[in-house]
Amino acid sequence: MKRKTLALLLAALMALSLTACGDSSETPAEESTEPVSAENDVVKIDGICVDDSYQDNDGSPLRLVYLFSTVNAGDTNLQLASTSTQMTIGDANTYSAEHIPYAAEFAPNYYYSSYLEDVYVGSTLQVVSTFKVPEGDLTAGKAITLSNSNVPELAELTLSTDDIQHFNNVEELCAAMDPEGYAEELDKRSPADEETTALAKGYLNGYYWSFYVNNTSYEIEFYSGDTFEVRTSLGTSNGGSYTVDKGYITCTYPNVDQPIRIPYTFENNDIDLDTTYAFDVKEH
C-alpha cells in the first residue's frame, strides 16, 4: 500500500510539473508572419525593379536596378538627389546609386538627377535611383538594406531580393512604375500637327541660341531644310536634322541613337527652348 501511495504521489507531482512547463514564459514564440515593411512616415518604397536587357558592356554581369520611392519632407526641409542612396545586399556588398543618362526618361514623374532638389516642409518628391549590381547578387532570399544621410529613416525599411520585379526593357519597366508619366512622355515624342510644326520652324530657322552647361558654352542654330548645328567653346561643331514633336524639338545626329530632345513652349509670339536642360546629361 505504501508503494502504491508513493507511486500515485510521484505521478501527481510529474503532472503538475508538466503543466507548469507548458505555461512557462520560456515556451518558444511563434515566428512573425507580418509582411515586409517598405514604408514609414517619411519614405515609401514604390518598387524595386531590374531592367534585364541592360548590360554595362558586352558580357558584363552588371544589371541596372531601379529603386522608386516617395519621400515626405514632413516638418523638416530636405535635399535629395538620385545619387544619394546606398544599397546593401546580404551582409557583404554595398552599391552606391549612379546616374546613368536617360535611364529613367520614360518615368518623368520621378525625379532623376545628380543635382540636389529641395523638398520643403509639407511636400513630397518621387525619386528614382539606379544601381549597377552583379546578376549573381540578385538571387532570391537576400536581405536588402538602404541608407541615405539626407533621409536616415530609409534605413528603417526592410526589403529582400524576393521583392525585385524583373522587366524585359526600360520602357516596360517605366510603364509599370509610372504609367501616367510614360503615356505623357510618349505623347510628347509624337509628331506635332502641321500648324504647330510650321509655327515652330518659323521661329527656329535662321536663329541661334547660346547657353552654358557642364562648364562649356554652346550655340545651337537652326536652318531651313530641317537641319541644325551645335558649336561649343571648345572649338567643336556637329549637326544633323531636327523634327518638331508635340513636346520637343528633337535633334538627331547622324549615326547616333540617342537624340537631343529640347522642351519648348510658345510664349509672347516667340518660341522658348529649354536648351540647358536638354544638353545637361545630369538632368536625364
Side-chain angles (χ1 to χ4, degrees):
M1 178 64 73
K2 287 183 180 179
R3 289 180 181 178
K4 184 175 181 181
T5 301
L6 181 60
L8 290 172
L9 180 59
L10 289 172
L13 288 173
M14 289 178 66
L16 288 172
S17 175
L18 288 172
T19 301
C21 290
D23 293 336
S24 171
S25 59
E26 295 179 1
T27 302
E30 293 184 5
E31 292 185 7
S32 173
T33 57
E34 291 296 316
V36 172
S37 172
E39 181 178 4
N40 54 35
D41 292 339
V42 175
V43 60
K44 175 180 179 292
I45 302 302
D46 300 322
I48 182 168
C49 316
V50 173
D51 172 13
D52 287 328
S53 69
Y54 176 87
Q55 283 196 329
D56 190 48
N57 52 56
D58 291 342
S60 170
L62 296 178
R63 296 294 175 261
L64 199 59
V65 178
Y66 290 70
L67 179 71
F68 292 85
S69 61
T70 300
V71 179
N72 180 1
D75 57 3
T76 303
N77 295 326
L78 300 175
Q79 286 190 315
L80 299 175
S82 296
T83 53
S84 302
T85 299
Q86 290 75 46
M87 172 188 293
T88 300
I89 299 179
D91 298 323
N93 301 316
T94 297
Y95 306 95
S96 296
E98 301 181 47
H99 181 268
I100 311 298
Y102 306 106
E105 60 181 335
F106 288 104
N109 287 328
Y110 281 84
Y111 183 72
Y112 187 65
S113 173
S114 300
Y115 298 120
L116 288 169
E117 178 77 359
D118 290 314
V119 188
Y120 295 112
V121 168
S123 61
T124 61
L125 182 69
Q126 291 180 299
V127 184
V128 56
S129 298
T130 51
F131 307 80
K132 291 180 181 179
V133 179
E135 190 172 23
D137 219 3
L138 299 175
T139 55
K142 294 185 178 182
I144 296 176
T145 54
L146 304 166
S147 62
N148 186 321
S149 59
N150 293 329
V151 189
E153 293 83 0
L154 192 62
E156 300 172 3
L157 306 182
T158 303
L159 295 170
S160 162
T161 50
D162 298 333
D163 298 319
I164 295 175
Q165 302 176 67
H166 289 260
F167 294 92
N168 293 321
N169 54 62
V170 65
E171 287 198 42
E172 183 182 294
L173 186 156
C174 291
M177 296 308 304
D178 184 12
E180 292 183 1
Y182 177 74
E184 176 188 340
E185 185 64 22
L186 289 185
D187 184 62
K188 290 169 66 175
R189 295 177 181 215
S190 62
D193 58 39
E194 291 184 7
E195 180 180 357
T196 302
T197 299
L199 182 62
K201 288 182 179 181
Y203 291 133
L204 292 171
N205 293 340
Y207 297 93
Y208 68 88
W209 279 255
S210 299
F211 55 98
Y212 184 81
V213 64
N214 301 138
N215 300 316
T216 304
S217 295
Y218 288 80
E219 283 184 355
I220 183 168
E221 186 167 0
F222 298 89
Y223 306 97
S224 59
D226 304 339
T227 62
F228 74 95
E229 182 183 18
V230 174
R231 301 177 289 269
T232 76
S233 57
L234 302 176
T236 60
S237 65
N238 200 357
S241 60
Y242 79 87
T243 59
V244 181
D245 296 327
K246 287 185 177 180
Y248 301 108
I249 305 299
T250 302
C251 301
T252 304
Y253 297 105
N255 304 317
V256 177
D257 292 335
Q258 181 63 52
I260 301 296
R261 292 186 171 88
I262 308 174
Y264 74 94
T265 55
F266 296 116
E267 296 180 8
N268 302 319
N269 296 318
D270 201 353
I271 191 170
D272 181 39
L273 302 183
D274 193 349
T275 51
T276 302
Y277 172 82
F279 281 81
D280 190 347
V281 294
K282 295 180 180 180
E283 288 277 19
H284 303 281

